[in-house]
Amino acid sequence: MGAATDDDGGDQKATPKKSSNINNKAPETPKAGVEDIEDDDEEEEEDEPKLKYNRLTGGLGAVYRNGDATSTFSVSGDKLVIGTHNGNVHVYSLPSFQSLRVYRAHGASVTSISISPPAPSLATGRAEVAQRAIADVASPNRAPTSTSAATSSPGKSPRQAPIPNTPANAIHIGSASIDGKVCVSSLVDAKDVTLRNFARPVQAVALSPDFKNDRTYVSGGLAGNLIVTVGGRAGVSADANTNSAAAAASGWLGSIGLGSNTGKDAVLHSGEGGISTVKWSLSGKYVVWVNEKGIKIMRSHFKLESADSAFAWKRIAHIDRPARPIWEEMASVWRARVHWIDEKHLENDEVQTSVNGDSKEVEKTESIVRGRETTVAAKKKKKEQLVVGWGDTAWVLHVEGTGTGVGKSAGERSVGSASIVHKFVRSGTVLLPHADRFIRLRFDDCIVSGLSLYTPSLLLVLAYRTRDDNDKPLATTQDSPKRGRQHRQNGIPPEIRLINVHTKDIVDEDTLSVSRFESLSASDYHLNTLFVPTIQSLPPAQRGALEALGGGIWDAGRNATRIFSSGASIKSYSGSTENGKMSPSASAASVARDTAAGIRKPAEAHPFVTAPGLKVFVHSPYDCVLAVKRDEGDKLDWLLERENYKEAWELLDRHPEALSSKDSDAASEGSGAHAKSLRQQSLADFFADDSASQSTVSASKSHNPAVEKEQRRIGDLWIQQLVSAERWESAGQVAGKVLGTSSKWEHWIWTFVEAGKFDEITPHIPTATLKPPLPSMVYEVVLGHYIAKDCLRLEELLSEWDFDLFNISSITSAIESRLQAGDVNPNTTEDGIRGRDWHILMSSLQSLYLADSRPADALRCAIKLQNASEAMSLIRDYKLLSAVSDDIPGLILLRISPSQLAEAPVPELESLSSEAIALLVDEAHNGVVRPNTVVAQLEQGGEPMKPFQFFYLRALWEGSASESLLESAPVPVSTKSKPQQSRALARISKAQRREQLASEGRSLLSTTFPDLTLRVFASYSRPLLLAYLKQSSGYDMSLATSICEKQSYIPELVYLLSKTGQTRKALQTIITKLGDVKAAINFVREEGGGDEELWDDLIDFGVENPVFVKGLLEEVGTSLMVEDSSADSDAATTGTQGKTGREESLIQRIPEGVEIPGLKLALGAYLRGFELQSDISLGVARVLRTEVSERMQKLREGRARGIKFEVVQSDDIGDDWPVNPASPTSPSHPDKDVNLITPTQPLNKDEPVKPGHCPICRLPPTPSTASTLIGFACGHVYHLSCLLSTIPSHISRENIRAAEDIEARFLADAQAGVTEGRSVGAKVAHATVIRRVVEGGCRFCGGKEEEAEEW
């Protein structure tokens, strides 16, 4: 068992909010509004409240009937149970707040309510909803099968409708009263009720979470005894048997069968004063109670393992009350408030939005980290969290289950422990409780009337104030230690406070102006919470028929009413009006008639309760208030009421559902289904305003006309606010952001224009076309202003705005008028820049001319501006070159300044004029501007225009053209395949097109400007000059020669001399002017060919120069020898005698005594050349001998090799054997050969021949074959008759007839049966005749070798 002692040094006071923005100091008319306070002359901004409120009193009219008042209540799952001072218990269904049952349980005030089990599971609720939906669809008017009746009470009461026996309704309700009795009743079975009299006022009762099975509850009261009661017969009222004699008697009578099961009572704790509160934990493992000495926690019997059975009903912790003097007197008066916390059923610490609209993430507090990051660790330790409020103090506790003891009890199993957790110390990533020092939260200005956790870091407190607005104690004490009810008239309204448990700052506080608060005390107020989770839609596989029957009943997210288990399906049987308020004239007879008739009115769900989140219920004797988290719609209203249009517009832009929430609120307000909402914006009217509450409706940011309309309305107010404050620049920015219609734009633009605020509105004027569009006059007025006042801004606007927005003619007229006025010209200076505005206006005018389809005017502007790029583009795009053809030099010089023309080098001039030259060349090819015109104007320009004349002629010569001109162009070609078409069009490539243009250009220059081209090329490009001399023939030869001689162009001069037949002079020029031996030798070879005199001239001219002699020996010696050898060889072949000894003449012609540098090396190279040729010749001879030897060996082997073939029997051939039809033995042809084989097909060299078959007739030899067989070394065997049929034409006819005679003789001998052998001479003669005929060798192989050689 753990204990904690009170230590005043550990108390910490709750600090009020730093910003006094909630007016909670006015007792008469409390109001939540903006309070202007001065702090260093700065106005602090107001924070938005966190909660909104709704009065439920009107919907709970039956509770306050006959002057009754609420004394206590409890909410769990979908049930709200209220106890009254008259002893009545009211059970309401949530979220419809429909009365399910009312019964008289006590004869005095009900002090405590307990529900078992605490709340049905969500899954159970869903299944029950589905079951009820099916039942309602199948039989909508069928009465429920179960029955219910109210507990008997004095007097008659109206008959109540039976309650369906569903899992959600299967609960027991326990109530305690100052009459000393505890009543436990089943909701669905009125007969299941037990009443136990403890003879002393009972202040608290707590049913076991499993009361249905264990029939156990714990109670306590003014007697100071904590009693556990087990058992008891239903429908029987019995007295408690806590004394031993009564218990013994009950046990003895029961053992002999004379007693009754009236239950058993046991005192668990006593002797420490009256008990004000008893609560069972959420898990059922622990029970907490509070008496006059402090807070006690014990282990219950529930979920106790067998090994720990001895720990049942053992106390595990004790926390002393604070040790301050006031506690000695008030501990028995102040009623403790206890709440077990489920951290999963709290609101989240969300993103905080500052007043200026910027969102920043609130730093994670220790509680968030504890609740989120250490969830697994907490589950392992099985801790439960508990908050206790008692008097002016609050505690946060953690209760831990059984474990291993420490200290003296180390190694032993302990029943459990409780630790006070209020301040946390971070250790690594785990938050540890600060157990070294006792830390509490202390309130100096109030008494705690209820508390819970709102978020993991915010403590929710219902505070009964004990000090007035001036921080002075009230005239009388809050409560008196004297017994009995105090009727005071100086109370002030209670407050709902949200306190940061770490910083102790009051984050939010709202004053609740409840009815008759002046006469109420702290014990008259009660607070409880209910968490509604967000229900996810079920997957389609789980829908099926239920969705068809229930209309989408599983989609609980769309209709949150369906997540509750009873109220959504139970029909109203109360005499309620349309708005849900109890009608005073309703009678039991009308209820009975409705019930008998089976009328089932669907209950309407309260929007505050259906929305997911934490619901805070606050009860006073005469009021019931529901507080929930404010949604985006509430924030929107709050911002609009404070004229904070900026944040309101931005909120609606980020969260369109905020407007849906407002619409939902308006609909709820119109229906009046529930009580009036408490306006958080004005707490003075909280309970006076009878409007319904707001609920957040999910909406997407898709196109929503209502949202857009509201945004435009708020935006208009926002702009008006800024304009009224003379904040024109901000107003312009906002206009560009919020205005969406042309009418609004037109209105505000004229407003700015009238105020002369062009600069503020112009950047935000829409450039996209609106529907309907803005009048063009709007744009024209703005542009006209800047034409006269700010040309720089005019330039920006014309580049940004589409010209379709305004009338171009109006703007061009305005600019022309400004230019004609003369105050702007190229010489005026603006901001130190000469001609700035003139250039801007002229450039703008050019753009407007183009947009207005006036390219010629635009070209004039471009030329005035010296804007070559624009001018060239205009000329090219709009074919305007003809418009400037009278000033070709001006066009070329667009990019060239006078200083550049005089000093710039040719490459720079070429780069600057390249675009103009290319344009002129293109138009020359197109025939727009003829070259004659261009050349003539450039000639008139004198010497400065010579380079551009060269650029132009060179481009024509090379066929330069733009890509558009080089695109594949169709050219006519002749077609022979289709006579009906004489001409056709074919496509040519860019290269072909360029060559075609170059050919045309060269022809043009050669015929039209031959001498001019010669002079220009000679001045600027020698390579082009040489190419022009070689490819053109129209120039003056003497002029060309004189130019080349004058400028020492030797290669060009040599070409001209050789072209005119002056080869000796040309050779002499090479030798004398160039001194290039190789060039001279190449010239002789190319021009002289076999001219011996030119070679002699080369030698004669060369020997006179010692250096040239060396070159001749190195370059000419060997080649001369080779040429002489070839000549001698040709002469020997033709029978003529060639000239020899040229190499000796070269050496012999060298003058004696002449010193030749490098002669030795030259002679060495000369001799090495001869040696190299000799070695090559010997190598070639060796190769030839080897090849000849190999071929001879192959020939010999072939001749010596036998030929194998097989003679096929004639029977295998059959009738297909082809023979000559005329044979010697034939009577009709006695003079013809017999059995001569006739080829049936020509020789086919592509088809392979079978071994032993004739390649011509493709038949094998047989015994009956009389024809001679001829075999070749290649392995092919022929019939002689077949060979004779394929003899080439060059074989003489005599040889052929001799072979035929021999073949006929052989056949005749075979026919006559002559088999004697022939002489050698005959055989040799025979072979000789046949050899002459078949001298070409094998017909099959020989033909293939010839084909291979030809290939």
Side-chain angles (χ1 to χ4, degrees), residues 975-1035:
T975 57
K976 298 181 180 180
S977 58
K978 296 182 179 181
Q980 66 276 13
Q981 296 180 354
S982 60
R983 308 284 288 178
L985 294 179
R987 309 297 294 182
I988 61 174
S989 65
K990 289 184 179 180
Q992 293 173 330
R993 178 61 174 164
R994 187 184 299 276
E995 184 61 31
Q996 183 184 33
L997 295 177
S999 176
E1000 294 175 358
R1002 291 166 188 170
S1003 176
L1004 176 66
L1005 296 183
S1006 298
T1007 57
T1008 308
F1009 316 107
D1011 295 338
L1012 176 62
T1013 304
L1014 177 65
R1015 288 192 298 269
V1016 171
F1017 285 177
S1019 300
Y1020 293 98
S1021 178
R1022 285 188 62 185
L1024 282 180
L1025 173 62
L1026 184 57
Y1028 179 71
L1029 293 175
K1030 291 181 178 180
Q1031 299 181 26
S1032 179
S1033 59
Y1035 55 87

Side-chain angles (χ1 to χ4, degrees), residues 1092 1117-1130 1138-1145:
E1092 298 296 337
T1118 304
S1119 60
L1120 285 177
M1121 183 199 71
V1122 173
E1123 291 175 1
D1124 292 343
S1125 300
S1126 301
D1128 294 343
S1129 175
D1130 294 340
K1139 186 177 181 180
T1140 61
R1142 186 179 296 166
E1143 66 279 4
E1144 289 84 358
S1145 64

Side-chain angles (χ1 to χ4, degrees), residues 120-121 290 326 406 475 655 835 907 1142 1173:
S121 65
V290 181
I326 192 175
V406 295
H655 302 285
R1142 186 179 296 166
Q1173 289 184 359

Side-chain angles (χ1 to χ4, degrees), residues 895-910:
R895 296 183 185 273
I896 304 172
S897 64
S899 59
Q900 289 176 321
L901 182 62
E903 300 174 1
V906 173
E908 184 178 350
L909 295 176
E910 179 182 1

Side-chain angles (χ1 to χ4, degrees), residues 524-595:
D524 290 325
Y525 295 100
H526 306 274
L527 180 145
N528 213 328
T529 61
L530 173 67
F531 184 80
V532 178
T534 301
I535 306 301
Q536 301 295 333
S537 299
L538 292 179
Q542 301 182 22
R543 298 196 176 195
L546 289 177
E547 183 178 21
L549 295 174
I553 197 169
W554 291 102
D555 195 0
R558 294 185 180 179
N559 187 0
T561 305
R562 301 184 182 274
I563 69 172
F564 295 92
S565 56
S566 61
S569 59
I570 297 176
K571 306 304 184 283
S572 174
Y573 288 92
S574 61
S576 59
T577 61
E578 182 181 357
N579 60 2
K581 296 182 180 180
M582 183 65 67
S583 174
S585 60
S587 61
S590 62
V591 175
R593 284 196 306 270
D594 292 345
T595 304

Side-chain angles (χ1 to χ4, degrees), residues 129-459:
V129 172
Q131 294 171 3
R132 288 200 310 270
I134 297 175
D136 292 345
V137 172
S139 179
N141 296 322
R142 179 177 56 87
T145 56
S146 60
T147 60
S148 175
T151 304
S152 60
S153 60
K156 296 182 180 180
S157 60
R159 180 184 177 185
Q160 301 185 44
I163 300 175
N165 187 8
T166 63
N169 293 334
I171 62 174
H172 287 79
I173 301 173
S175 60
S177 173
I178 60 176
D179 63 0
K181 298 178 182 179
V182 173
C183 178
V184 182
S185 174
S186 171
L187 178 62
V188 298
D189 187 2
K191 297 179 180 180
D192 183 7
V193 58
T194 60
L195 186 67
R196 204 164 196 83
N197 187 3
F198 290 92
R200 292 290 300 275
V202 181
Q203 298 287 346
V205 64
L207 301 184
S208 167
D210 193 23
F211 180 84
K212 180 179 180 181
N213 298 318
D214 60 18
R215 315 293 289 188
T216 301
Y217 61 86
V218 180
S219 60
L222 296 181
N225 297 329
L226 181 68
I227 302 174
V228 57
T229 302
V230 181
R233 179 182 297 178
V236 176
S237 176
D239 295 333
N241 51 11
T242 55
N243 58 76
S244 58
S250 176
W252 176 74
L253 291 174
S255 63
I256 63 177
L258 299 178
S260 59
N261 182 17
T262 59
K264 179 181 179 182
D265 303 295
V267 177
L268 300 177
H269 184 269
S270 63
E272 292 185 356
I275 297 174
S276 60
T277 301
V278 179
K279 283 282 186 178
W280 219 294
S281 70
L282 299 178
S283 66
K285 295 181 180 181
Y286 311 105
V287 175
V288 61
W289 76 97
V290 181
N291 56 28
E292 297 178 13
K293 298 299 182 181
I295 305 169
K296 313 289 193 282
I297 302 174
M298 69 166 50
R299 181 66 168 90
S300 71
H301 72 293
F302 193 66
K303 297 182 180 179
L304 196 63
E305 299 178 2
S306 58
D308 300 328
S309 58
F311 295 154
W313 308 115
K314 298 293 183 180
R315 192 173 69 177
I316 63 175
H318 164 72
I319 302 170
D320 288 334
R321 73 187 184 192
R324 294 194 299 276
I326 192 175
W327 279 85
E328 294 292 338
E329 181 182 3
M330 303 301 297
S332 61
V333 178
W334 289 334
R335 182 168 184 173
R337 313 298 175 134
V338 177
H339 196 83
W340 291 93
I341 301 299
D342 185 352
E343 290 192 351
K344 295 183 296 183
H345 291 171
L346 300 178
E347 293 286 354
N348 296 323
D349 289 302
E350 298 176 346
V351 175
Q352 177 181 350
T353 304
S354 60
V355 177
N356 58 8
D358 298 331
S359 296
K360 55 182 179 179
E361 185 178 356
V362 179
E363 182 179 0
K364 280 189 175 181
T365 60
E366 287 87 356
S367 61
I368 300 176
V369 180
R370 170 178 55 81
R372 299 295 185 265
E373 297 180 356
T374 62
T375 302
V376 177
K379 288 182 178 180
K380 291 182 179 179
K381 294 183 179 181
K382 298 180 180 179
K383 290 183 178 181
E384 295 194 54
Q385 193 170 7
L386 172 69
V387 292
V388 179
W390 188 13
D392 60 0
T393 308
W395 293 262
V396 179
L397 308 176
H398 272 180
V399 181
E400 187 175 358
T402 58
T404 304
V406 295
K408 296 181 180 180
S409 302
E412 299 180 0
R413 192 171 180 82
S414 65
V415 63
S417 63
S419 58
I420 302 172
V421 181
H422 185 67
K423 181 179 180 180
F424 298 93
V425 180
R426 185 178 295 278
S427 175
T429 59
V430 182
L431 292 174
L432 303 176
H434 183 72
D436 298 336
R437 183 170 175 80
F438 185 84
I439 304 294
R440 295 186 303 270
L441 185 63
R442 176 181 168 187
F443 305 95
D444 285 343
D445 63 340
C446 69
I447 301 298
V448 178
S449 292
L451 83 169
S452 179
L453 280 181
Y454 184 69
T455 71
S457 62
L458 294 180
L459 181 67

Side-chain angles (χ1 to χ4, degrees), residues 858-887:
L859 178 59
R860 284 195 293 271
C861 293
I863 294 176
K864 290 180 181 179
L865 291 169
Q866 290 291 301
N867 192 338
S869 300
E870 288 292 335
M872 293 300 174
S873 178
L874 289 172
I875 292 172
R876 183 179 296 107
D877 296 341
Y878 295 96
K879 309 300 181 183
L880 298 177
L881 186 59
S882 59
V884 293
S885 60
D886 55 345
D887 187 15

